[in-house]
Amino acid sequence: MRGIIGKLWLTNVFLVVLTLLILGIALGKLFENFYFSQRAEQLIRDGRQIAQLVVERQTQDWTLEEINLLSRFIDSNVMVVDRKGLVRACGGMMRMRPGMHLEQEEINHVLEGKTVISRGFHPRFDMPVLSVAVPIRAAGEVVGAVLLHTPVEPITQSINAIRRLILYAAAGAVLVATIISFFLSRQLSLPLLEMKRVALNMARGDFRGRIKIRAKDEIGTLGETLNFLSAKLEKNLRALSQEKEKLANILSSMTDGVITFDAEGKVILTNPVAEQLLDIKQENKEQLEKKYPEINAVLHRVLETNVSEETQIKVGEKIIALRMAPLRQEDGEIYGVVALLQDVTKEWQLERLRRDFVASVSHELRTPLTYLQGYAEAILDGLAETPQQQRKYLEIILEETLRLRRLVSELLDLSQLESGQINLNFSTFSLPQLVRRVTDKLKPVAEKQGIILKTDLPSDLPLVFSDEDRVEQVLINLLDNALQHTPTQGEITIKAEVLPEEIKISVADTGPGIPREELPLIWERFYKVDKARTRAGKGTGLGLAIVKNIVTALGGEVGVESEVGKGSVFSFTLPLRDPEQDK
């Protein structure tokens, strides 16, 4: 009975029962009053006729037989009294003898000329009776009264019979009303139950359900409104879902980390890049506050000042650029903060390398220029007195000039390689011949430094299809780099290995090696290892950058393996070309 059908049914039944109860009580009372009033009027008419009869007989004395006959005729107890309240005649059940005196209260009103009607328990009859007192008038004066008494039980029985009839009719009406009310309640509540089902499905996220409109009444209008609401919500939620997916895809595909905070500084959202940069997990966002207090410090300042802020933080070996900006509502109130994190470690390292390179190039340029200026001034000032001294000074000037030219050439080569303006001349050539030619050029330098230069090449190396001059430049740069870092009595070995689709050439030295953290940076331009590891600080830091750019342009890859104290192995690959394809 907790459902709407039961409630409607109970309400209707209650209203019907209440209505019938009130109606039954009212009808019972109405019939009761009607019967008693009819009987009272009848008694009044009978009493007036008896009073008229008394006046016509000119005597108030009646025989017992006459009174009893009259009582049976009108079905009432008849009593005649004079003005003094003395009984003149009495019949029926009252058993009062003539001459007995009635209480003055009983006949006061009737002796005043009024007709009196009363109903209630009468002690003389020992039962409820209906009493009527009619005055007897003679010559315009009240000379006595006629009192009529009749039991109310016959009237009550008739009224009770009518009440039972009303009760039976009401019970039947309640039964019929109950059945009709049940079906009407069910019919009225079906659309509401359908609306409930659709609303519950909407709450669960299913907006496909629609309500069948059966009528154009208020319930039908409500159903149409609910259908419109369902369609609108489905459309809006689909749009929100699409926007959410777009936002999630954007955040996931961003190369920068994103973190959003609420107005209380709690993490709401992080993208995978931010989780990776800060080494946190989506389900453990609270660890951010404990692990990175510097981020929380910036966050609280932004929340307090309502001003964006930028800074850099160090996370392990990484440098993270942190930018925080407040999120404002239309009224300007802050409801959160968005943080953008960017790994600038490489840029920071490159900037440091650039500064080091500028300092190194400045030094490299200043040193030969100083020599050139000094020895040129010495010659001009006549300090070189002998031809031998002049020749020596001129040789130094030439050597420094060649050094400057080499530095400028390397810068130009690197610039052309990085801009893609280099011209490549591919041809088929023998790699062993190229290696032998390069080692012949550099062997005197190696012997002068006390370094052993060796080759370890397979006898069945295939021909290589590439730019021979550029490959020679790569080998020279790698060997020059090895010569700078290999100590006296060290060894440099050139090796070659044939792979399925390429050939791998490597240059191994027995130098001091390179720390692991510096390996990713050695191919960058401007990079130069610690000068303490080089021979007399030679080199500009451009050789390996040129090697990488040339090899990449030739379609190969560079690589390096190194261990501090055990030397390094620099390698590069070149694609193979079948000589038959050139025919």
Side-chain angles (χ1 to χ4, degrees), residues 43-60 62 70 74 78-81 110 115 133-138 141-148:
L43 290 176
I44 291 173
R45 286 194 297 270
D46 292 340
R48 287 175 178 172
Q49 290 178 358
I50 294 173
Q52 184 66 29
L53 186 60
V54 170
V55 172
E56 290 176 354
R57 290 184 60 179
Q58 296 182 354
T59 178
Q60 296 180 358
W62 295 69
L70 188 60
I74 64 175
V78 181
M79 179 186 295
V80 180
V81 298
V110 70
T115 300
V134 179
I136 301 174
R137 300 177 186 274
E141 295 182 359
V142 178
V143 296
V146 177
L147 281 70
L148 302 177

Side-chain angles (χ1 to χ4, degrees), residues 559-573:
V560 61
E561 297 177 5
S562 183
E563 186 175 350
V564 176
K566 295 185 178 181
S568 304
V569 179
F570 289 84
S571 62
F572 66 96
T573 61

